[in-house]
């Protein structure tokens, strides 16, 4: 684990982990491709094909490209870690899981990709999203150390 992350948590800072940008690059390329198809249909099509071209231009060109560029510039926060509050997960209705709710932090795999799973005291578990722009080893070290510190205090 990076000592920078540990020291930031010790000072009371929150750590934000954003989603990776790779997927959004593919979405941008997809939107650009359909925008070009829309331009071709508007320029060379008749009637229904021209209307389809306009729809492609509006949906992929006017909406899709700006959204994809915005997501590339400012990716969404997928995970927050706080020494006081616990772990915030975007896909759990944006709520905090307190350290007392986390029974264990374990290494796991999603398909063939390494991942981190939080075992909850209520018996459930939550595997962290593979779209987080941080290595699973770094997240495992950070979360397991914080969970151990909280378990000693409690």
């Amino acid at each position: 684990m990076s000592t920078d992350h540990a020291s930031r948590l010790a000072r009371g800072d929150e750590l934000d982990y954003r989603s990776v940008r790779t997927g959004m690059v593919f979405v941008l390329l997809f939107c650009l491709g359909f925008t070009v198809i829309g331009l071709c249909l508007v320029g060379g099509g008749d009637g229904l094909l021209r209307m389809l071209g306009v729809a492609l231009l509006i949906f992929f060109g006017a909406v899709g490209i700006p959204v994809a560029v915005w997501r590339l510039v400012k990716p969404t926060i997928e995970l927050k870690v706080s020494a006081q509050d616990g772990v915030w997960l975007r896909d759990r209705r944006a709520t905090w899981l307190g350290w007392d709710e986390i029974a264990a932090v374990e290494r796991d795999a999603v398909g063939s990709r390494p991942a981190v799973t939080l075992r909850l005291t209520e018996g459930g578990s939550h595997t962290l999203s593979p779209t987080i722009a941080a290595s699973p080893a770094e997240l495992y070290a950070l979360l397991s150390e914080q969970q151990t510190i909280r378990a000693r205090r409690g």
Side-chain angles (χ1 to χ4, degrees), residues 99-136:
W99 292 112
D100 56 339
E101 297 177 59
I102 300 172
V105 179
E106 300 173 351
R107 293 176 190 252
D108 204 352
V110 175
S112 62
R113 297 173 60 181
V116 176
T117 297
L118 304 176
R119 299 282 174 210
L120 306 178
T121 55
E122 303 165 352
S125 66
H126 184 75
T127 302
L128 300 181
S129 171
T131 62
I132 296 173
S135 75

Side-chain angles (χ1 to χ4, degrees), residues 40-52:
C40 292
L41 290 176
V42 166
D46 290 330
L48 189 59
L49 285 178
R50 187 172 294 221
M51 288 176 25
L52 177 62

Side-chain angles (χ1 to χ4, degrees), residues 1-8:
M1 176 179 63
S2 171
T3 56
D4 180 51
H5 292 311
S7 63
R8 287 182 57 202

Side-chain angles (χ1 to χ4, degrees), residues 5 15-23 75-81 87-92 110 113-118 126-140 142-143:
H5 292 311
L15 301 177
D16 293 341
Y17 292 95
R18 298 185 178 275
S19 58
V20 293
R21 292 181 167 113
T22 309
T76 57
I77 295 175
E78 297 281 337
L79 171 77
K80 291 183 185 183
V81 179
V87 178
W88 179 86
L89 303 168
R90 181 173 184 257
D91 58 345
R92 288 185 52 98
V110 175
R113 297 173 60 181
V116 176
T117 297
L118 304 176
H126 184 75
T127 302
L128 300 181
S129 171
T131 62
I132 296 173
S135 75
E138 176 186 330
L139 285 176
Y140 173 77
L142 176 75
L143 294 173

Side-chain angles (χ1 to χ4, degrees), residues 29-86:
L29 291 174
F30 184 79
C31 288
L32 287 171
F34 274 97
T35 301
V36 169
I37 292 170
L39 284 170
C40 292
L41 290 176
V42 166
D46 290 330
L48 189 59
L49 285 178
R50 187 172 294 221
M51 288 176 25
L52 177 62
V54 169
L56 288 174
L57 284 174
I58 291 171
F59 185 75
F60 290 104
V63 176
I65 291 173
V67 168
V69 169
W70 176 254
R71 293 294 195 130
L72 278 171
V73 172
K74 188 173 173 114
T76 57
I77 295 175
E78 297 281 337
L79 171 77
K80 291 183 185 183
V81 179
S82 168
Q84 290 79 25
D85 298 326

